Every structure is written in C-alpha cells, then in structure tokens.
Amino acid sequence: ANEKTFIMVKPDGVQRNLIGEIVTRFEKKGFQLVGAKLMSVSKELAEEHYGEHKERPFFGELVDFITSSPVFAMVWEGPGVIATARQMMGTTNPSEAAPGTIRGDYGISVGMNIIHGSDSAESAEREMGLWFTDQDLTSYDKTL
Ligand code: CMP
C-alpha cells in the first residue's frame, strides 16, 4: 500500500550537514518527498511528540536536545515506507546499528542518533498530524 511516514533529521544531523545525505538516500531508494521544513521545535511540540517516553529517565534530556537547534522534518510516501525507512535508519542505538544504515554509518550516541522515523502506521498518522498541516503536504504524480 502507498503509505506515508514522518521522518526527522535531528539537531545533530542538521549540524553535521547530513540533511542532503539523508534526503538523497530516501530519494534514491525511490520514495517520494511530499512535505519538508527546517524548523525550531517548541518545548510543547517536543513533549507531545515524545509523550510515550514521559516517564523515562532521559525524557528531559531528549526534550532539551530536540529543542536545542533546528530539525529538518519531512513526510515521505511510497509502498511500505514506514517499515523500510526504519530499516534504512538502523537500530535506535547507533553503536549497534548495521553499517549501511544511516545510524550505523554516522552515529555512536543513542541520544544523538541523527534521525527519527515513525515506528508504526498509528505513530505515522499521529506524528504527521503534529508536525504538518494538510496544507503543508503535497500530492503529485511523478512524471519524469
Ligand atoms: P527516537 O527514535 O527519536 O525516539 C526516542 C528517542 O529517545 C530515541 O530516538 C533516542 O534518541 C532517545 N533515547 C533512547 N534511549 C536513550 C537514552 N538512554 N538516553 C538518551 N536518549 C535516549
């Protein structure tokens, strides 16, 4: 099915100039970019986005980090994009992520793990709704 998912280059990925590399990987894989913006994240949005981690000891650190400098938020579309994007990102802890994945190639810190991607269809819907309005998202057929 043609799915959509929410993908975000975190502050470390932006600062390390990895936006282009990450966009390129998704483009070359064959997925379609339907929305994107570079933005500062409010504390409110960060806390809402990471709501399921509220009770974790690292919650404060997580919110501080994601609000520390801009992120690049995106929506990608394509068959199976939710699960495939997770494979392309690699495991949450970059130290364990396979070489060839984004985290495996570029990270070693579980906090600063470069990229976020929705982990299910439900999360994708929720996160796209938090980060983007319907008007922010495009819908178009590739003709070239
Ligand atoms: P993400 O996929 O964005 O979703 C939750 C985030 O919590 C995760 O990536 C990690 O960056 C972060 N996280 C998980 N474990 C830890 C930890 N022990 N310390 C700091 N951050 C963590």
Side-chain angles (χ1 to χ4, degrees):
N2 225 30
E3 299 175 345
K4 284 184 219 166
T5 195
F6 174 72
I7 301 288
M8 165 173 64
V9 183
K10 297 186 182 184
D12 56 328
V14 174
Q15 297 222 3
R16 291 178 53 203
N17 300 318
L18 292 171
I19 293 175
E21 166 70 20
I22 288 167
V23 168
T24 296
R25 287 186 182 214
F26 282 88
E27 282 187 314
K28 287 189 173 170
K29 177 68 178 167
F31 292 127
Q32 191 170 351
L33 185 63
V34 295
K37 56 184 168 182
L38 183 72
M39 58 183 280
S40 300
V41 184
S42 68
K43 191 160 188 258
E44 291 68 35
L45 177 57
E47 288 178 345
E48 182 76 33
H49 174 77
Y50 282 125
E52 67 175 297
H53 299 299
K54 212 173 212 129
E55 306 306 327
R56 304 277 193 104
F58 56 83
F59 183 69
E61 198 182 306
L62 185 57
V63 169
D64 284 349
F65 173 57
I66 217 73
T67 56
S68 64
S69 72
V71 303
F72 191 65
M74 299 171 276
V75 174
W76 286 90
E77 181 176 314
V81 68
I82 300 169
T84 302
R86 302 272 301 173
Q87 291 186 324
M88 291 166 65
M89 291 182 338
T91 55
T92 300
N93 186 347
S95 291
E96 290 158 10
T101 65
I102 293 164
R103 289 166 173 158
D105 286 351
Y106 299 118
I108 48 172
S109 157
V110 70
M112 296 186 190
N113 63 357
I114 303 158
I115 186 168
H116 167 86
S118 307
D119 63 7
S120 66
E122 295 69 35
S123 304
E125 279 306 314
R126 188 184 77 88
E127 292 172 4
M128 287 188 289
L130 274 178
W131 292 83
F132 289 94
T133 66
D134 286 349
Q135 285 178 332
D136 288 333
L137 301 181
T138 58
S139 176
Y140 61 102
D141 292 329
K142 282 205 160 166
T143 53
L144 295 177

